[in-house]
DNA sequence: CCCGACGAAGGACAATTGTCACTTTGATTT
DNA sequence: AAATCAAAGTGACAATTGTCCTTCGTCGGG
């Protein structure tokens, strides 16, 4: 049994994620959290828009977003990442270089995210060894997932890519419109539709 | 005019690369360099082989290599990165996680590379702020180039990918066999051949 | 000097995928 | 309840790309 005066442990996705890499106290987490801003967005709202100055790196608390590049010639979208609870998303290059965004990020559902500026990120990294470590592990995760994604795109045809997606993200399949999944897999909506008819 | 006793500045690709990010003295560079091992490899030799323990991250001094995954079913190769002078290459995930390599890296030409273990990498990072900074910038470069690569693969057909490759790596086009470039672009050798006939 | 290995080009045909048009379904709005 | 709209499935056809095969030229070793 918990002691009567046990302080309430507030469940927090971000704390859990950091904890899994380098365990921190509630006080430390509260300090970290104070460097983030909360943003609530409606479905279809933009988190990052092409040409914007990208002030924040975002951690997703609730909802689902897509990051994509828009082909101006054809008007088509090419989704290169989905982000759901527990994921991070931003235009990484623009964020670090303080350059204009080349990608868009928008909400597929009502969303709630935490944003941190580059300045606060570096401040926390310099102040807390544990956070610095967390960042470097997180950077590796990002790299590895990009590499997996690239491998999926290079290796084989539409069906293989589809199967690989299902295997890697079973929970996204019934959450995201098929047309967006098709864009993520680099095939037309119709082709995707025919794949799982088999 | 240079003073008569000016010490000879040894030209070194790696020093130049570090210098461009955080300038270091010759002494500092000599110290850094002492943490690397030199490897010389003949054409066709493997630098990393699937299943290996990946001990080093490699900086290419001379030569040209390809990093690829082999599809066991079809026996085909999918090249996801070329590496020439001034580039880094390894199986990044395996290197950091100390897991078995899932990719192969082999030499398209006789090569000369510098290798650094994860232990030495971390030692240098901890000892020298400048090197730590260099590593983090380098990590971002790697991420950004992967992202560009992914965008290239997602957006559009074989011709667009080909044009994008030519634009980004004009010097690689006449150095690397077309069949490998085709593999990098995710098309058959024949299709690539037909593209620049137009 | 010839031979074999390799890289490259291209023809013929098959397989894959994209495009367009139409239909159905279910959710949302009025 | 009717109207509207977004999402998804499907058929027909066209465009793209892969596969298989043959030919050609270059380079280096015997």
């Amino acid at each position: 049994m918990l002691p009567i005066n046990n302080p309430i442990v507030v469940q927090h996705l971000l704390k859990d994620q950091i904890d899994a890499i380098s365990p921190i106290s509630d006080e430390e987490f509260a300090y970290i959290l104070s460097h983030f801003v909360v943003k609530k967005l409606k479905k279809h709202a933009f988190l990052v828009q092409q040409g914007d100055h990208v002030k924040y790196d975002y951690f997703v608390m609730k909802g689902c977003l897509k990051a994509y590049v828009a082909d101006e010639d054809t008007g088509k979208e090419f989704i290169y990442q989905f982000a759901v609870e527990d994921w991070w998303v931003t235009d990484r290059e623009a964020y670090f270089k303080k350059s204009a965004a080349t990608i868009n990020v928008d909400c597929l559902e009502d969303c709630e995210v935490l944003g941190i500026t580059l300045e606060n990120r570096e401040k926390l990294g310099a102040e807390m060894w544990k956070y610095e470590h967390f960042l470097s592990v997180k950077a590796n995760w990002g790299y590895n997932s990009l590499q997996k994604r690239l491998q999926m795109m290079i290796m084989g045809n539409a069906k293989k890519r589809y199967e690989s997606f299902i295997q890697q993200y079973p929970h996204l399949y019934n959450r995201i419109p098929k047309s967006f999944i098709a864009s993520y897999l680099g095939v037309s909506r119709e082709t995707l539709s025919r794949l799982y008819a088999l």
Side-chain angles (χ1 to χ4, degrees), chain A:
Chain A
M1 291 296 263
L2 294 172
I4 296 173
N5 288 328
N6 197 37
I8 295 163
V9 176
V10 180
Q11 190 73 7
H12 199 290
L13 276 181
L14 180 55
K15 176 166 192 306
D16 291 346
Q17 187 179 98
I18 299 174
D19 262 341
I21 294 168
S22 45
I24 52 174
S25 68
D26 286 353
E27 290 71 31
E28 285 173 316
F29 177 66
Y31 182 68
I32 289 171
L33 198 56
S34 73
H35 290 76
F36 283 81
V37 299
V38 179
K39 284 196 186 184
K40 297 191 182 194
L41 296 140
K42 294 265 175 208
K43 183 172 174 173
H44 296 128
F46 282 91
L47 191 57
V48 174
Q49 205 159 2
Q50 215 164 351
D52 278 1
H53 165 56
V54 180
K55 203 171 164 191
Y56 299 98
D57 188 13
Y58 297 101
F59 175 78
V60 182
M61 296 288 298
K62 193 172 75 72
C64 177
L65 306 97
K66 65 186 202 304
Y68 60 97
V69 283
D71 185 327
E72 286 137 25
D73 301 341
T74 61
K76 287 180 185 169
E77 290 183 6
F78 298 94
I79 297 173
Y80 79 88
Q81 188 200 329
F82 293 117
V84 293
E85 289 82 6
D86 219 34
W87 286 60
W88 292 78
V89 67
T90 192
D91 182 337
R92 214 184 124 97
E93 185 167 4
Y95 175 70
F96 282 111
K97 293 189 180 173
K98 295 183 176 298
S99 55
T102 60
I103 68 167
N104 298 284
V105 180
D106 68 28
C107 301
L108 301 183
E109 308 169 356
D110 291 354
C111 286
E112 203 175 314
V113 299
L114 297 176
I116 186 167
T117 62
L118 188 56
E119 289 68 31
N120 274 342
R121 174 200 175 90
E122 286 172 350
K123 173 171 176 281
L124 279 179
E127 288 173 357
M128 299 176 61
W129 159 253
K130 285 176 188 172
Y131 194 74
E132 172 81 22
H133 179 62
F134 166 69
L135 287 180
S136 91
V137 172
K138 176 166 102 66
N140 268 319
W141 284 359
Y143 188 93
N144 292 338
S145 75
L146 244 188
Q147 184 163 323
K148 275 213 188 81
R149 170 104 170 83
L150 180 60
Q151 251 177 249
M152 181 181 90
M153 292 303 291
I154 293 180
M155 298 190 66
N157 52 24
K159 197 190 296 186
K160 278 194 180 173
R161 299 206 293 274
Y162 167 71
E163 284 162 359
S164 157
F165 176 79
I166 295 292
Q167 189 187 358
Q168 207 175 354
Y169 306 110
H171 52 293
L172 293 187
Y173 177 71
N174 5 20
R175 183 168 178 183
I176 295 174
K178 303 280 174 289
S179 55
F180 293 144
I181 294 179
S183 166
Y184 181 86
L185 294 176
V187 297
S188 69
R189 190 182 55 75
E190 291 91 338
T191 297
L192 177 64
S193 177
R194 285 169 190 129
L195 284 179
Y196 47 74
L198 309 182

